[in-house]
Amino acid sequence: MEFCDKLFFVSLSVFAISALPTPYCFILSLITHTSILLLTDETYHHKGFKKYSYSSRNSSDVNALIQIVVVSMWLVVNAPDVGSLSLVSHEDEVIANCLTYMLGYLIVDLGVVVFHLFSYSFVLHHILIASSIVMSLAHGRCLLSLFLFMLEEISTPFLNSTWRTIKMKKDHRKISAVFGLVFVLSRFVYGSFVTRAVTRQILESNNVVDWINLVLVLYPSRLLNIVWLVKIIGMA
């Protein structure tokens, strides 16, 4: 899948998230990521890659780029007010659209992970995040906090580039080092900053949905990042 193809999907989805009603973002996400899987798998499957292993990386790249662009644009537009917004009660149509789009991607990718590329950690990750998004959208809670965590996806394209380089038996030391650095900065430095702010506000709230997100989703996802960091160090 060429860069221009990814750019097309990213541009279309970013426009949809900015302009369309929330349900359409979910439908578009399902169509987009299913299309990427089907359109790009056959070529690489014939080259010896496990079915959907390569195309799922393309889908992951597209989703990550969409999340990064949308969150970054939202932060720029709302920069003057971000500090005063509640991480647990603030609602916004673009935020809801972005999370709904993410939900569509998670459902498609979960199907690939379960039926073709099984991994306990990825299944757990997808179920936790998808459940949190559904619960938060249904109750209008923790939407901004989940939205801000999407910026952690900045490490995903570097992960996928590392994976491709290794699979193609090329020297992966430089890209692996860059990925490791970006992973730590995004998932631990930035992620810890957001986690601390969200935790403080949830502890002050009396909302059950907030506490479920904290105990069953937020902290377990932080632990998964530690597990993945151990794996990254082991691959170095």
Side-chain angles (χ1 to χ4, degrees), residues 135-173:
M135 181 172 56
S136 297
L137 286 170
H139 296 275
R141 301 293 297 184
C142 293
L143 297 178
L144 179 55
S145 57
L146 290 175
F147 180 70
L148 293 177
F149 275 119
M150 295 299 107
L151 204 55
E152 290 184 327
E153 290 297 318
I154 196 170
S155 65
T156 299
F158 295 96
L159 166 63
N160 293 333
S161 294
T162 301
W163 181 87
R164 293 187 187 98
T165 305
I166 292 173
K167 289 296 182 181
M168 293 178 178
K169 296 180 171 51
K170 297 180 180 179
D171 185 358
H172 63 88
R173 287 174 294 182

Side-chain angles (χ1 to χ4, degrees), residues 36-98:
I36 292 172
L37 290 174
L38 297 177
L39 292 174
T40 66
D41 181 66
E42 196 64 27
T43 300
Y44 293 101
H45 187 43
H46 283 310
K47 290 183 179 181
F49 288 94
K50 190 174 181 180
K51 192 169 182 62
Y52 296 123
S53 61
Y54 201 99
S55 55
S56 68
R57 301 283 173 168
N58 289 331
S59 177
S60 174
D61 278 343
V62 169
N63 177 70
L65 290 171
I66 290 166
Q67 303 300 325
I68 294 164
V69 171
V70 173
V71 176
S72 299
M73 288 173 59
W74 186 92
L75 285 172
V76 169
V77 172
N78 294 277
D81 304 314
V82 170
S84 61
L85 297 178
S86 170
L87 295 173
V88 295
S89 63
H90 179 73
E91 296 186 58
D92 182 298
E93 186 175 12
V94 170
I95 293 175
N97 288 357
C98 189

